[in-house]
Amino acid sequence: MEFSGFKYIVVGAGFWGLTLAERLATIRKEKVLILEAKNHPGGNCYSYLDRETNIEVHQYGSHIFHTNNDRVWNYINQFSGFNNYRHKVLTKYKNEVYSMPINLMTINQFYKKNLTPAEAKWLLQTEGSAAQIKVVQSFEDVIVSQIGYPLYEAFIKGYTVKQWDQDPKNLPAYIIKRLPVRYDYNLNYFDDRYQGIPGLGYGEIFNQMLKRPGIEIRYNVDYFDIRDQLPREAIIFYSGPIDKYFDYCYGELSWRSLTFKEETVPLNDFQGTSVMNFADMENPYTRCHEFRHYHPEIDFSNLTKTIIFYEKSKETKKGEVPYYPIGMKKDKEIYEKYKAKAQTLKNVYLGGRLGEYAYMDMHQVILKALDLFAQI
Ligand code: UDP
């Protein structure tokens, strides 16, 4: 394979790599080569249109775009318009369906009460104090001191153990800080000003980004097979796992991956919503995605089949594509070593969820890429 003539090489066509490639090509009129190990762009944000049903299937699980950042929103809107989808998540616990994240609806349904916001706050404060958490440090400490054991054990513990395969007493608190606890009837999953799903699907965004003159993408190329053949003077943007980049010299970071059981069900509507979480430990799946619900602007009334994915979490074996960094204490120590080593590299930038070992959402990754582009 020929690599000469490219000053910029991007490894991985996820949002981080694509944003950098797009900016370099559009603003700096540079030639950029993107090397992608998969056979499609977008990394784990990739989606495709199922021809038969016209349903946009998120191949690696649901992705909902949300941001408060004007720069990110204006940037992404150059490539696609967004629909007005607002994400709402339900969770099944002991054969009953509740609203997530925990809000006044969840609290009143769970305690079989009719509390006002102030009364609900007082109740959860009482439950939190009763838990007598002395030092608030771990995932479990943070959430239990906030909501107490009853709600924690119903809606958080089982899901979290299934997702991370760790005792929440040992998990870092930042994971649960992603979820708000609300004392009103706001049932939305996200609070951000800008939200939605790309009208023509994520695939269209990636196609538009790749269309910029100067960008060439090669699929099914494993960077580690060809890294020795790349021009010495090339500037590399690498978005694979940081531990793999350094051949695990300081040890392996811990990651989680997902598996999906895909079903096409002969029904117009399977579960009545896009995501149903499963809070009970007995159910091995963490959630079920039904993709038709992501496009309320499309008339699906004549649909006779619907596509669902049951999601299960799994350990990431060495070399497999990770989905989530876990970020245990030992990981932080290992990561700091890799980060310091990365800073000594000339002409190599590591970024994205895997390159930075950070549980970032799409909008955060895009912002990081825009900032890096501005900086270089
Ligand atoms: N979580 C939970 N119960 C739920 C949903 C989430 O305990 O019904 C916890 C769980 O530990 C999860 C974390 O909150 O990993 C963050 O949830 P989020 O929805 O942000 O996860 P993602 O969609 O990124 O997998």
Side-chain angles (χ1 to χ4, degrees):
M1 212 182 284
E2 187 52 49
F3 300 104
S4 58
F6 290 100
K7 188 169 155 202
Y8 294 96
I9 295 177
V10 169
V11 181
F15 265 121
W16 188 77
L18 282 180
T19 302
L20 280 156
E22 190 281 330
R23 290 288 81 185
L24 285 164
T26 307
I27 307 292
R28 297 251 295 264
K29 311 282 178 236
E30 296 283 2
K31 275 179 73 184
V32 185
L33 175 64
I34 306 177
L35 304 174
E36 171 53 55
K38 291 180 163 148
N39 61 4
H40 60 71
N44 286 358
C45 307
Y46 175 72
S47 72
Y48 62 89
L49 211 58
D50 177 70
R51 298 248 165 265
E52 197 190 339
T53 56
N54 203 29
I55 293 173
E56 183 197 2
V57 179
H58 299 197
Q59 185 163 320
Y60 304 91
S62 293
H63 282 75
I64 301 96
F65 203 91
H66 58 99
T67 184
N68 270 326
N69 188 290
D70 288 310
R71 245 169 95 213
V72 170
W73 186 242
N74 292 336
Y75 177 72
I76 203 74
N77 270 270
Q78 291 178 67
F79 310 107
S80 170
F82 280 73
N83 68 12
N84 62 3
Y85 175 80
R86 289 291 173 276
H87 197 41
K88 290 184 176 60
V89 173
L90 298 171
T91 187
K92 248 184 218 171
Y93 171 66
K94 288 197 197 292
N95 225 15
E96 212 171 314
V97 175
Y98 297 84
S99 171
M100 276 301 279
I102 292 169
N103 60 66
L104 193 50
M105 187 77 96
T106 327
I107 299 165
N108 275 332
Q109 187 183 349
F110 182 77
Y111 284 100
K112 300 196 179 2
K113 287 195 190 305
N114 183 13
L115 304 175
T116 64
E119 289 165 342
K121 204 167 195 172
W122 186 83
L123 170 68
L124 295 208
Q125 268 169 5
T126 311
E127 295 280 35
S129 311
Q132 296 195 326
I133 310 289
K134 299 270 179 316
V135 186
V136 180
Q137 207 165 12
S138 73
F139 179 112
E140 185 172 298
D141 307 332
V142 167
I143 187 71
V144 171
S145 57
Q146 198 180 0
I147 65 173
Y149 279 112
L151 283 166
Y152 165 73
E153 275 167 3
F155 300 112
I156 307 293
K157 192 173 180 183
Y159 186 100
T160 298
V161 170
K162 288 189 286 181
Q163 167 71 11
W164 301 99
D165 194 26
Q166 297 280 345
D167 185 334
K169 283 192 184 73
N170 302 326
L171 278 172
Y174 81 90
I175 295 175
I176 195 60
K177 288 184 183 162
R178 291 171 61 86
L179 287 192
V181 174
R182 301 205 187 100
Y183 301 96
D184 60 15
Y185 289 112
N186 173 5
L187 309 184
N188 292 331
Y189 207 67
F190 304 114
D191 289 322
D192 301 58
R193 212 151 17 113
Y194 306 116
Q195 299 183 33
I197 304 286
L200 298 174
Y202 285 95
E204 184 57 17
I205 291 192
F206 307 135
N207 290 340
Q208 290 300 329
M209 292 176 100
L210 287 167
K211 261 192 200 153
R212 298 295 202 230
I215 299 184
E216 181 181 331
I217 183 159
R218 294 184 197 162
Y219 295 107
N220 305 308
V221 178
D222 187 334
Y223 166 74
F224 295 95
D225 292 341
I226 53 86
R227 73 197 292 189
D228 297 342
Q229 300 167 42
L230 298 179
R232 293 249 161 267
E233 63 287 359
I235 296 171
I236 311 277
F237 297 94
Y238 169 89
S239 60
I242 187 168
D243 52 355
K244 189 171 180 189
Y245 184 87
F246 292 110
D247 199 20
Y248 308 99
C249 66
Y250 299 127
E252 287 176 50
L253 293 163
S254 42
W255 308 88
R256 290 299 279 171
S257 291
L258 301 177
T259 54
F260 299 98
K261 183 164 77 95
E262 178 178 349
E263 285 180 23
T264 302
V265 189
L267 288 172
N268 175 270
D269 192 349
F270 174 71
Q271 63 181 14
T273 193
S274 47
V275 175
M276 179 68 74
N277 286 358
F278 304 119
D280 300 287
M281 269 308 273
E282 295 75 51
N283 185 336
Y285 296 103
T286 46
R287 53 189 167 184
C288 180
H289 310 257
E290 184 174 9
F291 298 107
R292 55 155 287 179
H293 294 290
Y294 284 119
H295 288 277
E297 78 282 12
I298 300 177
D299 179 8
F300 282 124
S301 56
N302 293 325
L303 202 68
T304 56
K305 291 174 181 172
T306 183
I307 300 173
I308 61 166
F309 276 19
Y310 284 102
E311 177 179 319
K312 208 193 264 188
S313 169
K314 75 176 199 80
E315 182 194 353
T316 310
K317 300 245 166 63
K318 193 172 175 179
E320 284 179 348
V321 179
Y323 285 59
Y324 297 91
I326 306 181
M328 306 294 282
K329 196 164 165 281
K330 75 164 176 45
D331 294 318
K332 287 202 189 104
E333 289 158 18
I334 297 176
Y335 173 69
E336 285 308 318
K337 291 188 196 166
Y338 284 129
K339 188 178 164 193
K341 200 171 171 75
Q343 279 162 355
T344 66
L345 297 174
K346 226 178 127 237
N347 291 344
V348 182
Y349 298 92
L350 281 79
R353 209 188 242 215
L354 311 184
E356 248 191 69
Y357 195 65
Y359 189 173
M360 290 185 281
D361 293 330
M362 294 180 279
H363 62 290
Q364 294 164 319
V365 164
I366 292 169
L367 185 60
K368 287 264 177 161
L370 292 175
D371 282 346
L372 178 59
F373 175 73
Q375 189 190 315
I376 58 172

